[in-house]
C-alpha cells in the first residue's frame, strides 16, 4: 500500500506513514473487510428487495401474499441495516481507540506537528506518548524544545528540571539538561536559582563545571579548636568574589573586614565569622569557627651582666641554649624578629643605657623580656671628644686623610665614629670605627677599627681577627 499523501510505500500493518507521519490506516486497514461485507450485505438486500418486489407484483396480481408477511420482511431488512451501521461504528471506534493508545502513532503525529511548526499540538502528542509509557528521555528534551519554540519559558525550565529530578538521565544527558537550564536562568539573571540548583546537585562533574556560578561558604585553613602556637589563618573561596569577616562575634556583611591576607591569631580566644559574596552578588552561608590559643611563652633569657653602675669597660653577656635565639633592643621596646640578634658579649655603652632581651622562636612567638639598665663612667679626664680629635690628627699625620673633616683626595672622605669603651689586655680604650662617605653622603664601614687609650690618649690600630688586640698605626 502507498501513502496517499507522499506516495511512499507503507509497511503492511503500519498505523502511519514512516516518512511524513500521515494517518493512513484508520479507514484503509478496515476498508477491504468492511467494504466487502457492506457490499455483500447491500447486494443481498438489493436482491431481496428485487425478489420482494417481484413477489409483491406477482402476489398483487395473483393476490396470494398477505400484508402482514410483507411488513415482517421489511422490518427484518431494516434491522440488518442498523446492525451493519453499529458494526461499522464499532470498528471505527476501535480504530480510534487503538490510535489514541499507540505510542508510535502519538510520536509520529508529534514529529509531523513539529515539522509544520504546530508546537502546541506537538506538545499534546508528546505528553500523551509519555502517559502511554514512553520513557525515552529524548522525548522529554523534544517536549522542552517545543516549549522553547513557543517562548514558554516556564514550561521549558520546568520540563528540564523534571528531567534532572527524574534521575533517569545518563551523564551526557544530565550535562545537557543542566547546560540548557542554567543558560535559561542566566538569560534572566536569576543567579540565585542557579546557586540553589547547584547546591542541590550531587554530581561532582556538574558542580565543578559551574563552580564559578556558586557562592560556596569560605574555607578555613585550620579547623577550629585548641592550639599552642600562633595561627596564620587563611580563608579561601571557590571563585572570584570577596570574603568578609568579623572577629567580634557579629554577623559579617559587605561593611565588615575584607580578607586580603592571613589572619594571625595569638594568645586568647578568637571567634571568626566569614561570608563569601561572588561576582554575581550571590551571598554564601556564614561560617563560624572558634579558636583557643595558648602559647608556650619562652622564659626570659639569663642575662649574666647585672644592672648597675660601672667604672670600667664591661661586656654584657647572655647565657642561652643552642636552640635558643635571643634578640635585643636599646630603646625600651620589646624585641622582635627585626631587632638586633645577640651573637656574643656586647660592649657596654658609655653613659646610661637600657637593654631588653627576649628569646623569639621561629614562628615569631616572643618570650618573656629581661630588662637591664647600665651606667658606665670611666675614671679618666680624657673625654670621647678629646679622643676623637686625637685620632683625626693621627690619621692626618699618617696621610690617611688630609683635613680634620676627613678629606682623603681621590679616595673620598673618611670619618671615625666612636663605638664603645673596651678593655684590651689590661688597658682601657675608646674604640672607633672607620667609615667611608660616598658622594651622596651615605657612609659604610671599611672594616677598620682604631683604639685611643682612655688614660694617655695614644692611638692604636684595633685587631679583631682572633679576639681583641692592638697594634701601632703604620
Amino acid at each position: 500500500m502507498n501513502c496517499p499523501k507522499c506516495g511512499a510505500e507503507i509497511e503492511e500493518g503500519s498505523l502511519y506513514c514512516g516518512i511524513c507521519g500521515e494517518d493512513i490506516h484508520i479507514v484503509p486497514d478496515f476498508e477491504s473487510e468492511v467494504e466487502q461485507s457492506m457490499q455483500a450485505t447491500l447486494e443481498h438486500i438489493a436482491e431481496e428487495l428485487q425478489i420482494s418486489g417481484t413477489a409483491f407484483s406477482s402476489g398483487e396480481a395473483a393476490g396470494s401474499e398477505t400484508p402482514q408477511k410483507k411488513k415482517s420482511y421489511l422490518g427484518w431488512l431494516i434491522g440488518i441495516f442498523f446492525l451493519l451501521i453499529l458494526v461499522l461504528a464499532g470498528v471505527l471506534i476501535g480504530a480510534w481507540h487503538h490510535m489514541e493508545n499507540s505510542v508510535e502513532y502519538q510520536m509520529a503525529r508529534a514529529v509531523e506537528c513539529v515539522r509544520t511548526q504546530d508546537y502546541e499540538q506537538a506538545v499534546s502528542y508528546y505528553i500523551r506518548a509519555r502517559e502511554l509509557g514512553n520513557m525515552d528521555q529524548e522525548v522529554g528534551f523534544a517536549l522542552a524544545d517545543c516549549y522553547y519554540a513557543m517562548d514558554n519559558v516556564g514550561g521549558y525550565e520546568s520540563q528540564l528540571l523534571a528531567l534532572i529530578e527524574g534521575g533517569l538521565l545518563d551523564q551526557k544527558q544530565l550535562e545537557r539538561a543542566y547546560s540548557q537550564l542554567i543558560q535559561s536562568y542566566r538569560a534572566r539573571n536569576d543567579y540565585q536559582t542557579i546557586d540553589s540548583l547547584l547546591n542541590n546537585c550531587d554530581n561532582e562533574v556538574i558542580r565543578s563545571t559551574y563552580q564559578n556560578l556558586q557562592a560556596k561558604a569560605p574555607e578555613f585553613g585550620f579547623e577550629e579548636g585548641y592550639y599552642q602556637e600562633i595561627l596564620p589563618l587563611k580563608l579561601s573561596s571557590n571563585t572570584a568574589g570577596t570574603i568578609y569577616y568579623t572577629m567580634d562575634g557579629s554577623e559579617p556583611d559587605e561593611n565588615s573586614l575584607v580578607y586580603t591576607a592571613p589572619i594571625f591569631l595569638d594568645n586568647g580566644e578568637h571567634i571568626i565569622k566569614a561570608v563569601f559574596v561572588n561576582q554575581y552578588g550571590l551571598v554564601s552561608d556564614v561560617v563560624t569557627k572558634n579558636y583557643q590559643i595558648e602559647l608556650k611563652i619562652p622564659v626570659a633569657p639569663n642575662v649574666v651582666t647585672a644592672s648597675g653602675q660601672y667604672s670600667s669597660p664591661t661586656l654584657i653577656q647572655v647565657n642561652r641554649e643552642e636552640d635558643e635565639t635571643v634578640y635585643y633592643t636599646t630603646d625600651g621596646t620589646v624585641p622582635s624578629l627585626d631587632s638586633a640578634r645577640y651573637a656574643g658579649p656586647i660592649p657596654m655603652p658609655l653613659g646610661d643605657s637600657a637593654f631588653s632581651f627576649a628569646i623569639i622562636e621561629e614562628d615569631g612567638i616572643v618570650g618573656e623580656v629581661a630588662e637591664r639598665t647600665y651606667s658606665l663612667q670611666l675614671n679618666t679626664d680624657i673625654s670621647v671628644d678629646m679622643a676623637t680629635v686625637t685620632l683625626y690628627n693621627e690619621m692626618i699625620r699618617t696621610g690617611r686623610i688630609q683635613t680634620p673633616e676627613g678629606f682623603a683626595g681621590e679616595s673620598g672622605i673618611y670619618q671615625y665614629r666612636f663605638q664603645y669603651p673596651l678593655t684590651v689586655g689590661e688597658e682601657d680604650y675608646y674604640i672607633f670605627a672607620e667609615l667611608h662617605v660616598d658622594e651622596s653622603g651615605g657612609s659604610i664601614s671599611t672594616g677598620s677599627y682604631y683604639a685611643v687609650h682612655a688614660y694617655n690618649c695614644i692611638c692604636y690600630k684595633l685587631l679583631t681577627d682572633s679576639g681583641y688586640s692592638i697594634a701601632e698605626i703604620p
Side-chain angles (χ1 to χ4, degrees):
M1 179 184 294
N2 294 330
C3 175
K5 183 174 183 178
C6 66
E9 185 176 353
I10 307 299
E11 184 178 348
E12 183 177 355
S14 178
L15 301 177
Y16 60 93
C17 175
I19 301 302
C20 68
E22 178 68 15
D23 171 21
I24 51 85
H25 72 291
I26 297 178
V27 174
D29 279 352
F30 301 95
E31 187 177 79
S32 59
E33 181 180 346
V34 175
E35 193 174 276
Q36 289 175 9
S37 176
M38 291 177 62
Q39 183 67 29
T41 301
L42 292 174
E43 289 177 356
H44 177 71
I45 293 173
E47 290 176 0
E48 290 295 332
L49 289 173
Q50 184 177 6
I51 293 172
S52 177
T54 303
F56 179 75
S57 298
S58 300
E60 190 177 57
S64 60
E65 191 168 348
T66 65
Q68 288 80 6
K69 288 185 178 180
K70 297 177 197 175
K71 185 176 181 180
S72 175
Y73 190 70
L74 182 61
W76 179 79
L77 291 177
I78 293 173
I80 292 176
F81 180 77
F82 277 105
L83 178 62
L84 181 61
I85 295 298
L86 290 174
V87 170
L88 180 59
V91 170
L92 294 176
I93 291 172
W96 173 85
H97 183 269
H98 178 74
M99 289 184 294
E100 180 66 17
N101 292 278
S102 169
V103 173
E104 292 183 354
Y105 176 77
Q106 300 297 327
M107 288 299 299
R109 297 303 300 153
V111 170
E112 174 61 17
C113 289
V114 169
R115 188 184 69 81
T116 59
Q117 297 184 359
D118 186 359
Y119 298 110
E120 185 172 353
Q121 190 62 43
V123 166
S124 65
Y125 282 121
Y126 278 131
I127 291 176
R128 181 58 182 161
R130 300 288 274 181
E131 292 174 350
L132 293 174
N134 188 334
M135 301 308 294
D136 185 356
Q137 299 306 299
E138 290 301 324
V139 176
F141 282 105
L143 181 56
D145 290 341
C146 287
Y147 285 127
Y148 184 82
M150 296 164 58
D151 290 329
N152 186 344
V153 177
Y156 176 68
E157 294 176 351
S158 296
Q159 179 58 33
L160 291 173
L161 190 59
L163 286 171
I164 292 172
E165 294 176 345
L168 299 177
L169 301 179
D170 59 31
Q171 184 62 33
K172 288 186 177 180
Q173 289 174 326
L174 189 65
E175 292 175 6
R176 174 183 169 191
Y178 270 101
S179 175
Q180 292 181 206
L181 186 56
I182 289 175
Q183 184 177 2
S184 181
Y185 288 148
R186 292 190 71 175
R188 297 191 287 108
N189 292 321
D190 190 358
Y191 291 99
Q192 192 63 53
T193 302
I194 295 175
D195 184 57
S196 177
L197 175 71
L198 295 175
N199 284 335
N200 293 325
C201 175
D202 57 3
N203 187 290
E204 290 301 323
V205 174
I206 300 295
R207 290 174 66 91
S208 177
T209 300
Y210 299 102
Q211 62 177 337
N212 65 313
L213 298 177
Q214 293 181 266
K216 290 185 178 180
E219 295 185 0
F220 284 58
F222 291 92
E223 291 297 326
E224 62 181 351
Y226 174 81
Y227 292 87
Q228 292 183 322
E229 59 183 338
I230 293 177
L231 291 187
L233 180 61
K234 293 182 179 180
L235 306 180
S236 60
S237 58
N238 65 306
T239 185
T242 305
I243 296 176
Y244 299 93
Y245 71 97
T246 63
M247 301 181 68
D248 58 2
S250 62
E251 294 298 308
D253 56 28
E254 294 185 359
N255 295 319
S256 303
L257 298 171
V258 176
Y259 176 82
T260 57
I263 307 167
F264 287 91
L265 306 180
D266 54 14
N267 259 335
E269 184 176 357
H270 305 272
I271 300 176
I272 310 298
K273 291 189 174 185
V275 68
F276 173 63
V277 180
N278 74 1
Q279 58 186 323
Y280 302 107
L282 294 178
V283 182
S284 75
D285 294 334
V286 175
V287 181
T288 302
K289 299 286 186 181
N290 293 284
Y291 299 92
Q292 181 67 38
I293 312 297
E294 292 187 6
L295 302 177
K296 290 184 176 179
I297 304 296
V299 298
N302 179 18
V303 182
V304 177
T305 308
S307 298
Q309 294 183 346
Y310 291 82
S311 60
S312 62
T314 303
L315 294 177
I316 303 171
Q317 186 173 350
V318 179
N319 288 344
R320 67 189 191 284
E321 300 296 332
E322 291 184 359
D323 60 344
E324 294 178 341
T325 304
V326 177
Y327 292 82
Y328 69 94
T329 62
T330 58
D331 58 1
T333 60
V334 176
S336 67
L337 292 174
D338 295 327
S339 303
R341 183 173 178 176
Y342 178 84
I346 306 169
M348 185 180 295
L350 192 63
D352 296 332
S353 60
F355 283 77
S356 297
F357 297 90
I359 297 173
I360 302 180
E361 297 184 348
E362 292 182 358
D363 57 5
I365 297 177
V366 180
E368 297 178 357
V369 178
E371 296 180 345
R372 297 290 186 272
T373 57
Y374 305 103
S375 180
L376 174 59
Q377 301 294 334
L378 300 183
N379 294 323
T380 177
D381 294 331
I382 298 176
S383 65
V384 172
D385 291 339
M386 293 173 60
T388 301
V389 173
T390 301
L391 179 59
Y392 270 90
N393 290 335
E394 181 65 16
M395 292 297 102
I396 293 174
R397 183 190 68 78
T398 61
R400 180 69 170 169
I401 61 176
Q402 299 173 8
T403 67
E405 289 76 25
F407 179 71
E410 294 182 357
S411 298
I413 298 174
Y414 291 103
Q415 292 183 348
Y416 301 90
R417 187 172 299 170
F418 172 70
Q419 302 295 297
Y420 43 76
L422 181 67
T423 299
V424 180
E426 295 182 356
E427 303 293 330
D428 298 337
Y429 298 89
Y430 293 119
I431 305 302
F432 292 83
E434 182 181 66
L435 305 175
H436 183 267
V437 181
D438 58 25
E439 295 179 356
S440 64
S443 59
I444 185 173
S445 175
T446 64
S448 297
Y449 292 88
Y450 295 89
V452 178
H453 199 283
Y455 296 96
N456 60 27
C457 222
I458 298 176
C459 299
Y460 299 92
K461 182 73 178 291
L462 180 67
L463 305 179
T464 59
D465 294 337
S466 56
Y468 294 112
S469 61
I470 60 172
E472 292 186 0
I473 300 175

